[in-house]
Amino acid sequence: MMLTISGLNQSYGQSHTLWDVDMLIEPGSCVCLIGRNGVGKTTLLNCIMGLLPLDSGTIQYQDTDLTAERADRRAPLRIGYVPQGRMIFPLLTVEENLQTGLGALPKTQRQLPDLIFDLFPVLQSMMHRRGGDLSGGQQQQLAIARALVINPEFLILDEPTEGIQPNIVQEIGGVITRLNRELGLTVLVVEQKLPFARKVASHFHIMSKGAMVASGAMAELSETMIAEHLSV
């Protein structure tokens, strides 16, 4: 199994945010985590990435127990992360932003892979532009490319289409599909847009009020589930 989460509980002070969360992600799958705003999706990703402490439960990544590992252990284990809001460095150039992702690799491997320019050719022509001067869609492409410089085996994306123009959304969908289906990368994506989720993902998990309430193959995502757990 690529990722196994068992009995995960997490709290902010007196506020209990995640309740006995279980989740399995198989190697080579593309899993979409869906749910209304504020149900705990980003909190769960932050727990996986070691950015929040757990109250209880375990997180197993392949053969490694991540439960008590520091956040900086993720990248050397080939886990790529694209946070919500992109979080690029606006005053650094595109090239410098990409190079910040290389620090987790041994010095002999700190080289930008050709793949990122194959996937996002626009970035190659913008290497010396500051990240803050890019459009929102270009910044999202940069954030994904930065996560890919470590040649990850597992890629986590938090709402990659948020605030992005439709043509770039389509392009990002194509990139995720290619990474998953052609290159065998395991992907976990948090996404609000159901058409996008159906297009890229092989499986889904639905969160509601901090708990997992449904999961299965994407073809099994029914209108009843959508009405109950996702409709606003």
Side-chain angles (χ1 to χ4, degrees):
M1 199 62 63
M2 181 63 72
L3 187 76
T4 304
I5 296 175
S6 302
L8 194 154
N9 286 271
Q10 198 275 337
S11 301
Y12 288 107
Q14 299 299 311
S15 177
H16 198 147
T17 54
L18 298 178
W19 297 79
D20 296 319
V21 171
D22 296 331
M23 184 167 66
L24 299 176
I25 296 180
E26 296 184 3
S29 63
C30 181
V31 175
C32 191
L33 180 61
I34 49 183
R36 298 184 181 102
N37 286 330
V39 299
K41 303 184 299 296
T42 294
T43 298
L44 178 58
L45 296 193
N46 284 335
C47 288
I48 294 171
M49 294 305 299
L51 301 172
L52 288 173
L54 311 183
D55 293 348
S56 61
T58 60
I59 301 173
Q60 183 82 15
Y61 171 68
Q62 300 190 99
D63 297 326
T64 302
D65 184 357
L66 289 181
T67 308
E69 291 281 5
R70 300 193 316 267
D72 59 7
R73 284 280 292 136
R74 272 59 175 178
L77 291 170
R78 306 288 183 175
I79 301 175
Y81 179 48
V82 183
Q84 186 177 22
R86 302 182 277 278
M87 305 294 286
I88 62 147
F89 298 102
L91 298 182
L92 298 185
T93 65
V94 167
E95 183 174 16
E96 289 166 340
N97 267 278
L98 292 171
Q99 288 174 339
T100 64
L102 294 173
L105 299 179
K107 288 185 178 180
T108 56
Q109 298 177 24
R110 292 180 187 176
Q111 183 174 334
L112 298 177
D114 293 337
L115 173 65
I116 61 174
F117 302 117
D118 182 30
L119 295 171
F120 303 113
V122 68
L123 295 180
Q124 196 155 25
S125 63
M126 297 182 170
M127 291 291 274
H128 301 295
R129 290 184 62 180
R130 293 196 306 185
D133 294 336
L134 273 57
S135 70
Q138 291 165 345
Q139 289 183 10
Q140 186 64 67
Q141 292 174 312
L142 174 58
I144 297 172
R146 181 180 59 186
L148 293 174
V149 299
I150 62 170
N151 293 310
E153 296 178 5
F154 182 38
L155 179 65
I156 300 174
L157 305 104
D158 193 354
E159 302 219 19
T161 70
E162 184 179 37
I164 305 298
Q165 55 267 42
N167 63 314
I168 302 296
V169 168
Q170 187 173 0
E171 190 171 330
I172 288 172
V175 166
I176 293 172
T177 298
R178 182 177 172 191
L179 289 169
N180 174 241
R181 298 177 190 174
E182 293 182 24
L183 303 178
L185 188 62
T186 306
V187 179
L188 171 61
V189 56
V190 167
E191 184 52 60
Q192 297 277 22
K193 297 181 176 70
L194 278 178
F196 183 88
R198 289 185 190 276
K199 183 176 180 181
V200 303
S202 57
H203 294 78
F204 72 91
H205 292 276
I206 299 178
M207 287 192 76
S208 180
K209 298 178 181 177
M212 289 296 184
V213 294
S215 61
M218 186 55 77
E220 298 170 357
L221 179 60
S222 67
E223 293 303 319
T224 302
M225 293 178 190
I226 293 170
E228 182 177 357
H229 301 299
L230 303 175
S231 297
V232 177

